[in-house]
């Protein structure tokens, strides 16, 4: 069963460009990881939001231990305004299933 994650991190004002570049580099690497169905980066103001979908809990577990994650957090750690916020989400069926549910690629 797919696992959906939303991860949010806020850059310090002087570090927005550095954090953006590190996030973009991570996206390229993570897209190659087994079980990655969606790893999309968005931003607003100084906050970067990853919307993720993994094939299953094992794929998410492998991702959390993957080099791309270690590199990302090693690069941006001191440039963040607080700790990242990572949430695993459960779907709530509602409305049209074609529009109300994330689907695998």
């Amino acid at each position: 069963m797919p696992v959906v994650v939303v991860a949010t991190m806020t850059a310090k004002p002087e570090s927005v460009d550095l954090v953006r570049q590190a996030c973009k580099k991570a996206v390229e690497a993570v897209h190659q990881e087994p079980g990655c169905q969606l790893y999309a980066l968005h931003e607003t103001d100084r906050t970067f939001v990853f919307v993720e979908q993994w094939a299953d809990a094992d794929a998410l577990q492998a991702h959390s231990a993957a080099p791309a994650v270690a590199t990302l957090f090693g690069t941006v750690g001191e440039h963040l305004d607080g700790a990242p916020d990572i949430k695993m989400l459960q779907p709530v069926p509602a409305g049209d299933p074609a529009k109300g549910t994330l689907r695998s690629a």
Side-chain angles (χ1 to χ4, degrees):
M1 179 169 180
V3 178
V4 175
V5 175
V6 173
T8 304
M9 59 181 78
T10 301
K12 292 178 180 175
E14 67 277 10
S15 299
V16 171
D17 289 338
L18 183 147
V19 172
R20 181 185 303 109
Q21 289 308 317
C23 289
K24 287 171 66 173
K25 187 173 182 182
V27 167
E28 293 176 18
V30 171
H31 282 173
Q32 305 307 311
E33 293 178 16
C36 176
Q37 296 177 338
L38 176 70
Y39 196 75
L41 175 64
H42 302 272
E43 79 175 278
T44 176
D45 199 16
R46 298 182 293 123
T47 300
F48 294 87
V49 179
F50 289 94
V51 179
E52 310 173 25
Q53 182 170 299
W54 297 92
D56 52 34
D58 289 340
L60 176 59
Q61 181 65 31
H63 163 67
S64 65
V69 173
T71 299
L72 174 61
F73 287 117
T75 302
V76 303
E78 67 187 78
H79 299 282
L80 297 182
D81 192 1
D85 180 46
I86 301 170
K87 291 185 171 43
M88 290 178 39
L89 306 178
Q90 299 297 320
V92 178
D96 179 348
K99 295 179 181 178
T101 306
L102 288 170
R103 295 174 297 285
S104 58

